[in-house]
Amino acid sequence: MPEHLLYIAVAIQILYYGMLLLKIFFARQSTKIDNNHHLPVSVIICARNESENLRKYLPRILEQDHPGFEVVVVNDASSDDTLNVLKEFEQKYKHLKLVNILPENKTTSGKKGALQSGISAAQYPYLLMTDADCYPKSNQWIRKMTANFSGDTELILGIAPYENKNTWLDNIVAYETITTMIQYVGYALWNIPYMGVGRNIAYTRSLFNKVGGFGSHLEITSGDDDLFVQEAVKHTKTVVCQDIGTYMYSLPPDSYNSWWNQKTRHYATGGKYQMVHHIFLGLFIASKLIFYMLLLYLICFLQCDNSAWICSLLYFLMLQLSLYGFCHKYSLNLNFYKIAVLDLIYIIALVAQGAHSKLTQKATWK
């Protein structure tokens, strides 16, 4: 009986990865840059205590190759030199707009209040979001992302990988990021989008107003990307921009504790997902967890026969083949054994962080 459940779990995983990856690899990018590259765009960035990152990365946003855009940076009650850094940039770049939120005027504990202030201050109808610790792959980021807007498409999901220096923490973060990306991109391509990444997402002001901004989940610290997408997809078509020139890179968490807190905060929004997403995401997590639990059980009780070993080997080969292209694209050197270890760490952390988030009453935005 345990062997049969093991086979079913592996079959579900293979089907799951297969259905998503086929869509991702064979999707045709429909960007019409020649016909749609003059859209007036407001880039919105929220910054809290980000003076060093702003000095390093903000010029790469301000110097994008686009004929008409502004960059709205919200200083979200920073206690470091962020405000002075932004004032320096404001003297050099006329298309930089500074919004300053004083500590005594901050009304929400998370990022959403700052985002709403930035959107209110933006002058253009097309909005593109990123973070202060991010940098685009090319100077075509704005042009190529926003070229996907059309009359019935008001939401664009971008790709946002992390830098990787091949430490174990970086590999864990990269593996989790790739797995999440496969899911949210694949789901969107199957026309059931459920989330985006706030470091690289675009939408129209009209769509933002249609869904009432972040009003339905303003009390939740996180969710400016996934919960917003959950509401927005009821009103618009969604496009995924997979062009490598639009990748938005950022630094990974610098400690295991930072990574844990970040992911726990993100998982706290899962309870508001639609039922169809709960079912599919739950099936993915449950089948992966059941696979490892049954494999451990069969090994401990010496019941792992040849067919179970072959099935397990097939599972890990599937992971290797599925992730090979992404590892190559993100310059990751993940061999067979490392992928097996990272996949086990991934599911243990996922379950633990999800359980911990249920017990967390309030989270704070970095």
Side-chain angles (χ1 to χ4, degrees):
M1 182 64 176
E3 295 93 338
H4 296 152
L5 291 177
L6 181 75
Y7 306 152
I8 293 173
V10 171
I12 291 173
Q13 286 286 299
I14 292 175
L15 180 63
Y16 194 97
Y17 277 97
M19 293 291 287
L20 296 181
L21 289 170
L22 284 174
K23 270 292 186 182
I24 292 172
F25 287 135
F26 291 103
R28 293 185 177 182
Q29 187 63 41
S30 59
T31 302
K32 303 177 180 63
I33 296 176
D34 292 337
N35 300 324
N36 202 24
H37 69 290
H38 291 298
L39 294 177
V41 181
S42 293
V43 178
I44 313 294
I45 300 173
C46 297
R48 179 185 294 178
N49 299 330
E50 296 280 8
S51 58
E52 292 185 11
N53 285 327
L54 288 169
R55 287 189 186 278
K56 188 175 181 181
Y57 300 125
L58 187 56
R60 300 182 68 166
I61 305 295
L62 291 163
E63 295 170 7
Q64 286 283 298
D65 177 25
H66 189 74
F69 75 102
E70 65 173 354
V71 178
V72 180
V73 182
V74 183
N75 175 37
D76 191 16
S78 297
S79 58
D80 68 351
D81 204 33
T82 293
L83 181 59
N84 291 330
V85 170
L86 290 173
K87 287 182 176 179
E88 290 176 16
F89 277 118
E90 200 174 27
Q91 297 300 314
K92 181 178 179 181
Y93 297 96
K94 300 307 179 184
H95 57 300
L96 171 62
K97 180 181 291 185
L98 169 60
V99 177
N100 188 36
I101 299 178
L102 298 174
E104 59 268 25
N105 294 332
K106 188 170 175 60
T107 58
T108 61
S109 61
K111 180 181 175 183
K112 294 173 186 172
L115 268 178
Q116 288 192 150
S117 296
I119 291 171
S120 296
Q123 64 174 313
Y124 296 133
Y126 298 94
L127 310 173
L128 181 55
M129 313 295 165
T130 190
D131 289 339
D133 61 347
C134 298
Y135 64 91
K137 175 73 174 180
S138 75
N139 67 351
Q140 300 297 306
W141 170 61
I142 295 177
R143 184 186 295 263
K144 290 185 175 182
M145 277 288 290
T146 57
N148 289 280
F149 282 119
S150 65
D152 58 355
T153 302
E154 297 184 80
L155 178 62
I156 315 299
L157 308 182
I159 308 297
Y162 282 106
E163 284 186 357
N164 187 279
K165 298 178 181 178
N166 213 28
T167 66
W168 266 106
L169 176 58
D170 285 356
N171 285 333
I172 291 171
V173 172
Y175 189 88
E176 186 274 333
T177 301
I178 290 173
T179 304
T180 301
M181 186 271 290
I182 289 173
Q183 294 179 85
Y184 82 79
V185 171
Y187 274 66
L189 293 173
W190 279 108
N191 295 319
I192 46 173
Y194 75 98
M195 67 164 284
V197 180
R199 303 187 300 276
N200 199 6
I201 188 171
Y203 43 84
T204 64
R205 184 192 300 276
S206 173
L207 178 63
F208 186 77
N209 292 334
K210 284 178 189 176
V211 303
F214 306 122
S216 64
H217 46 88
L218 192 61
E219 76 284 357
I220 301 176
T221 304
S222 55
D224 57 278
D225 42 21
D226 55 351
L227 295 185
F228 177 80
V229 169
Q230 292 274 316
E231 294 291 328
V233 295
K234 302 172 185 177
H235 303 273
T236 182
K237 289 184 178 179
T238 305
V239 167
V240 179
C241 185
Q242 298 191 66
D243 190 299
I244 193 170
T246 65
Y247 287 8
M248 181 60 71
Y249 287 88
S250 62
L251 300 175
D254 56 5
S255 68
Y256 286 96
N257 187 57
S258 296
W259 169 69
W260 177 272
N261 291 335
Q262 181 191 74
K263 299 314 299 180
T264 300
R265 184 174 67 247
H266 292 169
Y267 291 134
T269 64
K272 287 186 170 287
Y273 284 10
Q274 296 179 24
M275 182 57 65
V276 62
H277 301 128
H278 277 297
I279 292 172
F280 284 122
L281 293 172
L283 185 62
F284 171 75
I285 296 169
S287 58
K288 190 180 286 287
L289 181 62
I290 288 170
F291 165 76
Y292 281 109
M293 293 176 64
L294 289 175
L295 182 60
L296 179 63
Y297 171 85
L298 293 172
I299 292 174
C300 290
F301 288 92
L302 303 177
Q303 296 182 26
C304 204
D305 57 18
N306 288 338
S307 59
W309 281 117
I310 292 172
C311 188
S312 301
L313 179 62
L314 181 62
Y315 171 81
F316 290 117
L317 285 174
M318 179 272 298
L319 283 180
Q320 180 77 40
L321 293 173
S322 298
L323 300 178
Y324 173 79
F326 297 105
C327 291
H328 176 72
K329 186 177 293 185
Y330 301 147
S331 300
L332 300 177
N333 183 24
L334 301 184
N335 57 32
F336 179 88
Y337 299 104
K338 189 174 286 188
I339 284 180
V341 173
L342 289 173
D343 192 61
L344 178 58
I345 293 173
Y346 166 76
I347 189 60
I348 292 174
L350 188 69
V351 173
Q353 289 162 342
H356 179 68
S357 70
K358 297 295 183 182
L359 304 175
T360 303
Q361 296 299 316
K362 186 177 181 181
T364 56
W365 178 55
K366 175 183 173 185

